[in-house]
Amino acid sequence: MDRSRALELLRQVSSGALTPDEAVQRLAMAPFESLEFATVDHHRALRQGYPEVIYAEGKTPAQVVAIAERTLAHGGSALATRTDAATRQAMLARFPEAVANDVARTVRVGAVAPKAKGRGTILIVTAGTSDLPVAEEAAESALAMGNIVGRLNDVGVAGLHRLLANGGALQSASVVIVVAGMDGALPSVVGGLVACPVIAVPTSVGYGASLGGLAALFTMLNSCAAGVTVVNIDNGFGAAAAATRIVARDSAQP
Amino acid sequence: MDRSRALELLRQVSSGALTPDEAVQRLAMAPFESLEFATVDHHRALRQGYPEVIYAEGKTPAQVVAIAERTLAHGGSALATRTDAATRQAMLARFPEAVANDVARTVRVGAVAPKAKGRGTILIVTAGTSDLPVAEEAAESALAMGNIVGRLNDVGVAGLHRLLANGGALQSASVVIVVAGMDGALPSVVGGLVACPVIAVPTSVGYGASLGGLAALFTMLNSCAAGVTVVNIDNGFGAAAAATRIVARDSAQP
Amino acid sequence: MDRSRALELLRQVSSGALTPDEAVQRLAMAPFESLEFATVDHHRALRQGYPEVIYAEGKTPAQVVAIAERTLAHGGSALATRTDAATRQAMLARFPEAVANDVARTVRVGAVAPKAKGRGTILIVTAGTSDLPVAEEAAESALAMGNIVGRLNDVGVAGLHRLLANGGALQSASVVIVVAGMDGALPSVVGGLVACPVIAVPTSVGYGASLGGLAALFTMLNSCAAGVTVVNIDNGFGAAAAATRIVARDSAQP
Amino acid sequence: MDRSRALELLRQVSSGALTPDEAVQRLAMAPFESLEFATVDHHRALRQGYPEVIYAEGKTPAQVVAIAERTLAHGGSALATRTDAATRQAMLARFPEAVANDVARTVRVGAVAPKAKGRGTILIVTAGTSDLPVAEEAAESALAMGNIVGRLNDVGVAGLHRLLANGGALQSASVVIVVAGMDGALPSVVGGLVACPVIAVPTSVGYGASLGGLAALFTMLNSCAAGVTVVNIDNGFGAAAAATRIVARDSAQP
Amino acid sequence: MDRSRALELLRQVSSGALTPDEAVQRLAMAPFESLEFATVDHHRALRQGYPEVIYAEGKTPAQVVAIAERTLAHGGSALATRTDAATRQAMLARFPEAVANDVARTVRVGAVAPKAKGRGTILIVTAGTSDLPVAEEAAESALAMGNIVGRLNDVGVAGLHRLLANGGALQSASVVIVVAGMDGALPSVVGGLVACPVIAVPTSVGYGASLGGLAALFTMLNSCAAGVTVVNIDNGFGAAAAATRIVARDSAQP
Amino acid sequence: MDRSRALELLRQVSSGALTPDEAVQRLAMAPFESLEFATVDHHRALRQGYPEVIYAEGKTPAQVVAIAERTLAHGGSALATRTDAATRQAMLARFPEAVANDVARTVRVGAVAPKAKGRGTILIVTAGTSDLPVAEEAAESALAMGNIVGRLNDVGVAGLHRLLANGGALQSASVVIVVAGMDGALPSVVGGLVACPVIAVPTSVGYGASLGGLAALFTMLNSCAAGVTVVNIDNGFGAAAAATRIVARDSAQP
Amino acid sequence: MDRSRALELLRQVSSGALTPDEAVQRLAMAPFESLEFATVDHHRALRQGYPEVIYAEGKTPAQVVAIAERTLAHGGSALATRTDAATRQAMLARFPEAVANDVARTVRVGAVAPKAKGRGTILIVTAGTSDLPVAEEAAESALAMGNIVGRLNDVGVAGLHRLLANGGALQSASVVIVVAGMDGALPSVVGGLVACPVIAVPTSVGYGASLGGLAALFTMLNSCAAGVTVVNIDNGFGAAAAATRIVARDSAQP
Amino acid sequence: MDRSRALELLRQVSSGALTPDEAVQRLAMAPFESLEFATVDHHRALRQGYPEVIYAEGKTPAQVVAIAERTLAHGGSALATRTDAATRQAMLARFPEAVANDVARTVRVGAVAPKAKGRGTILIVTAGTSDLPVAEEAAESALAMGNIVGRLNDVGVAGLHRLLANGGALQSASVVIVVAGMDGALPSVVGGLVACPVIAVPTSVGYGASLGGLAALFTMLNSCAAGVTVVNIDNGFGAAAAATRIVARDSAQP
């Protein structure tokens, strides 16, 4: 409810085009609209490719299906993360067109046309095969948000030649999400190789003093490559959301 | 040294246009050029606005000045971070045109024309006045990398109205860097208000169980606003570098 | 055995109304009574609305039922927390009038008439739906202690407008219990909005570096809103007991 | 800007009593007024006895004096915490009527008439003499907020008889602030003795595995006395603010 | 192999009573005997009442039974700790005279006559009922080592009168083992009440920030009562062994 | 105030030998006397050799001297720990007969005749020379409490032969205090060699991941030698107090 | 592709012995060969006795078998670690000649002739029987890499005589791997007894404050025996790989 | 005193060549000699190039000089680590031929002829210039132990090409010591490039969440390159000792 819209509304009241009662109905929304700069933008952000995201952990299959039904009624697409097998089965039974990913533990429903013209590719890189579940959660989330996604797997720093042999893919990415557990060293190396934004995702992969991913997390926070940012342990969805915030800017510009 | 360039070189040898000895000189560089995709790009990244950065902690004023002289000879600009008063004085004595910032503990030398056309503004937000040193380090670093910088200070969550009153500045930013100590709650709030990338910087401000900034760090990693990324405690420079990786993409596009 | 009662007893001995042997029988209880200021008060506190609380974790259903029987024989009401489904079933089978709350994992037995005249409302606020089990434990405990309870759910800081739209409920509360996991940022925001006591309850909700609730705990301890206090992780019962200590003062005053 | 006030304004526009331009001026304030419930209340809270608080750590004596001058111009009183000796001297030089407390490291300026009618006493209890600086910060802060303050020092659990001998003081308190370092056991004991609210303040006193106060902090969070709440390590000011939130309710009630 | 015994052996060789080959057999044991001061004593310690202790965690019932059979063949008694139900059943089937304690998760076999004349009583005190498993492990272990054991349960600091009412038992103990979880405050109080040795055992009882017993452990290490010592979390057996080291000294003295 | 004393007092009232008012004065002390079992014993413990202990950290030399003067007036001896050089100088100036120990940072005043007949020796063992300050604090404290003290220095586990060569001293000790930093391995070895009580004192000696003594502390808590107990990091005084609790039992027995 | 080999190739092109197209095929490998110093060496390292290692945790039996089939096709041998019973069964069904070790949770396939001539023995020492799974993983891994392996079990520091009685085995080892949980003290003792390399492996054995092996880990890092190195908790495989890096040097030398 | 030497001695007694009294004199040393395998070897290890090492932290310059004098009298060489400037000056004043290294904070005295024939080179690699003090301590220590030392500085993973350009040095090393702070990623990369032993040294370089080197330590323990071992934070001396244990084996072999 910016000044010009408010003035317009008041003029309609002044001219009799709107009764005070009709006007107050509109103003009733004003407290929200006065915050709308936030919520409108928030909604715009969501509409730029985020389906409603359902965090399935701790919810029954029936609950997830019910929320997805409601979400689809409004938005046309839905994404559930951290699902178990039963939930994925229930979702597929209800929405035969859904895409379930057992590694990522996600289900997507509703066709998401790639809106990513001009956005370039979000490249998701893993250090080892055991980082795949987190990487796949990032990939599925990024796809659900309308992005183009590339993958580069199992290129950890103990075998540098595998990474270096894929220089082309790294160079042509718009954003690189690097998923790594154990020593979490890969984002530092990638951050030194590319100029684009690098988002590091520590995983809880490892044993002994991996501390459930804290070791990798601290490695990444202390990255000697300037400008690497970090999200929470195993948070593939969060990395995808951060990457989308970045690439969405391009397509949003006139 | 891609296939076509290599074939061309070999044909020149085959045709006698190049002697084997001349050819081997060129191939001698091949191991590096085969990695050049990285280093070239890395250099490109640096040339997009990064002056050579001198981390001054543990160096004498004389050492910092000496490194700055060498840097300026090559690149035309230099940035020193974590300087003490003596170092800033020594730098100003040697480079009268330098810009020293006592709060940020930085010195910049060499005019950096804003290259930020099309990049938009990097907005640096602080929760409290004691977060200023880190925020100023971020600001000085971002300026040194050729960006346009905005500031929004002392808008912590215990007085929400101050933040909400500045919706316009938040909405028009390209990237928001949120600097906060103590409870580190501000990035979650900002992340819910804007659609653009949000980089959170925990500071070591606080006492008691602030754990030298770890409390704020973990708050930020667990942000309930999707897509907020985090850099190391007090790492204003790192946040600026990450923000520059993001905004540099815009101006780099044709 | 305060001074006046002791003097009275001694006068009875002096006057011959009491033999020394009879008097010493009464004094035999004195060591306890000399501490009675504590125990009497402690009992008074409990009688101000606390039923006997049974912490059910690690107890069999039969044990919980047996303790509840004994408690009801003395006090007329009982509350069991951290019950599993089997215990709740056993309690309902034995006490058909009991109120079992599956989310809170509590069972209340015995009618507790709201003693809360003049106490006002204890408002329980959650950041997200997954904080509900802890919030419900707080609510059930507060109800069992004779309070009036209000609820405000899912108003986390990533969507501030939901919280701000409920200003009225916040303003009219006597005490606000804020339950939040993940970044634990909500109590700081609420603490800035209201003048009444705010009790923060961190929950173990979250993943990655939520550290089983420690991240939220430290956020809350470092709250930038002055005068927010904290109880242990997931300790809904403790928050309710603390709130009751506060509101009970009002109704206890002449 | 509630519904009835908005309708009234619109009717004035409709009737011509107010031009659209005049009306929009009033509505321009609406976004703030829609939040006013918060800020008004926040201000009310502050006006209920909080002087402006100046956290002096990291500020020069001159800066503290300057802020105090401004604060006094508006509010009539000021409190500076965490001051060093030089700052206290500077404050006393500028404000000869100021009250400086070397143990608490505070300076209060401006007469604060006890507003605490009906509030009862805030009793501040310490386990040992080395907890005094934190306890004194709590006491000075509570006094500055218009409260009546009692003190009970050096009654740690290793010599229970000292605590039990002061049953009367404990019983007559409205709120008890318990300050303890080392094993942090005192709040559990006090919490079992009294029915009123108990706020525990861990101190960084101790050596070895006291972990800078974390040991005492965790003891207090795990208190076996129900309803004890905790503030941050060494946070005497925070405990006083929390106690004031509690007792201010009494005097605020009609 | 002390000097006199060595001389004797050499004289036997010199006199022909022993051949060099026979003597070398005896000397082959010399490296052990040269350490015998240790091992003899160690054995003496064990013989002072320690049966062979079998830590059952990670062993099958059959393995525990087999070890117990071997132990009994040599020493006449056996103690198994951390047994599961199946192991206790298997032990009782094989040794019908065994004493199984389901709470302590121990099985004792072989009659241990109390050797504790002059040793006095080892008093085992618990803060709450949930500390019982650890306290019972301590009690069973102490009994198996030939001690007289007393018990004082559920006398935590939140209800001091229960503890103070048992002053006699505390005063007459030779050693007090204090078992407490949650805030771990009880050993400090007991340490202030008695002059005899106090051994504190933290338990992993609690939730939230009890950190699996670390909170109680650090409380105890920081005990403000001088001369309280601590064993590992949940280590009832260790506390009993330490107490036996203490009381065994009395009966061992001429 | 036991039964017979109470009866006697009441008989005096009954006979008129005491007025009720006089009697109530005596009973006023009853709450204390009802706890006297504790305090009497506590005093007895102190009188068994503990001088009043002054923890000097954070106190001025003048304050320490003043407290010592008062202590000496009552008890004839005093011990100050954690003194700095200035405090030791001030103490020696005031009490020329005092014994100052620069390594231990202690000052003892007042002749303490060894009361240790029948107590045997408290043997203090160190792993390395840098553990000496803590060991000396233990030794001085033990001496001040009237014990006989033995020393065995620099016998860490990396050179076992030094320890094994001193079997005699170990075997003849009544209690062994083992002081060790770095890996903290020595108590486990000593605990396996002797049957008497072993008290482990971790020191903050070390660098890198010694974590200020936490590494040694945890080693000791996890000691594979049964019955080793632990006191806080660097707490030489506490170890001496614990050892005195043990050996005092012998001489206290008829 | 070093200079001389490149020159030779170019001369062949110059002389017509090689067409440019044939040459480019060879050069196509150059980027890799330019890194080949690494990969060749890496391969050499692997060929010196490392079979392909399959980390089985999180893989299905079928997946492990499939990877082993592929590995055997190329290398003739395979090692799977962290297998469960089902995987070991599946491996034995598919490869009847495989060696499965239930304690180590490993399966080896393919005959590995000891290449260890001149390498000497890798001695694997355990503190207690519960360290066996990790020690056996180390042993199986070392065997799979072509080493000669010795074992010395249950020689923890609480019974030093057992360790000292095996001086011969210790002295004749080329490398000693010391596996220990709980207090982790054994590597310090062994490090003081032998001159050869000592690799310490902390295990997660223990309870209470063993912190899942962190206590033992920190003990070992702080070892007072100079030159002891450490691998991750429970990482038997890693210790074997480190030992093989050491002993392989001997046989690799001309 | 092995079997054959003992038999020989006994035969001499049997034949009368030795009296029992003479024989017992020799056996008197047996307890030590029976351990001598250890001490002899330990000495041998030391004689293989270790000068007596003086840890100077906490010692006065005079003390360090005095110890060095004694050491030189016996062994001909001495090494002091962690010296301050005053100590280095005092050492140079007393031993003009000493070699002081200000960066490493070491002083070496006494010519150490390289004994390293056949040992190859110990290559010390640093990630950044701020790791130099630790690397130099390692280098000075390794030199003092008679090794040949190589250096490769400032080759951190953020600029991989610098490391890869030095493949030759890496390939020809016998042992590589990798010194790195911040993210500690370099050892993983080096471990993947070379086949020889790799010893990782975390440094306390960094800020924020580097946790005083713990972040780098955990990275290294979790290295994804098999067979990398780790020493304590900043422990350059320890790494050199470990490397010497490895290379000394070569020259020690016949």
Side-chain angles (χ1 to χ4, degrees), chain C residues 144-232:
Chain C
M145 294 172 197
N147 298 291
I148 297 170
V149 170
R151 287 176 176 88
L152 188 49
N153 284 324
D154 202 15
V155 294
V157 299
L160 269 185
H161 52 291
R162 292 175 300 184
L163 179 68
L164 297 175
N166 288 282
L170 285 168
Q171 289 312 109
S172 61
S174 281
V175 178
V176 183
I177 294 174
V178 187
V179 184
M182 299 185 71
D183 57 18
L186 188 55
S188 289
V189 173
V190 171
L193 293 178
V194 302
C196 73
V198 175
I199 300 166
V201 192
T203 67
S204 54
V205 166
Y207 54 96
S210 70
L211 305 176
L214 283 173
L217 170 64
F218 281 110
T219 305
M220 291 169 177
L221 286 168
N222 288 286
S223 174
C224 53
V228 170
T229 61
V230 186
V231 297
N232 205 350

Side-chain angles (χ1 to χ4, degrees), chain D residues 39-57:
Chain D
T39 48
V40 164
D41 254 83
H42 194 55
H43 289 170
R44 189 167 58 95
L46 293 175
R47 265 179 276 120
Q48 279 170 351
Y50 291 43
E52 191 75 34
V53 180
I54 309 162
Y55 185 78
E57 202 140 304

Side-chain angles (χ1 to χ4, degrees), chain A residues 118-132:
Chain A
R119 291 185 173 194
T121 299
I122 297 175
L123 182 66
I124 301 174
V125 180
T126 61
T129 51
S130 40
D131 300 316
L132 272 178

Side-chain angles (χ1 to χ4, degrees), chain A residues 157-158 160 164 182-183 185 188-189 192-193 207 209-211 215 218-219 221-225, chain H residues 157-158 160 164 182-183 185 188-189 192-193 207 209-211 215 218-219 221-225:
Chain A
V157 300
L160 268 185
L164 297 175
M182 300 185 70
D183 57 16
S188 288
V189 173
L193 292 177
Y207 52 95
S210 71
L211 305 177
F218 282 110
T219 305
L221 286 168
N222 287 285
S223 174
C224 53
Chain H
V157 299
L160 269 186
L164 297 175
M182 299 185 71
D183 57 15
S188 289
V189 172
L193 292 177
Y207 55 94
S210 70
L211 304 176
F218 281 111
T219 305
L221 286 168
N222 286 286
S223 173
C224 53

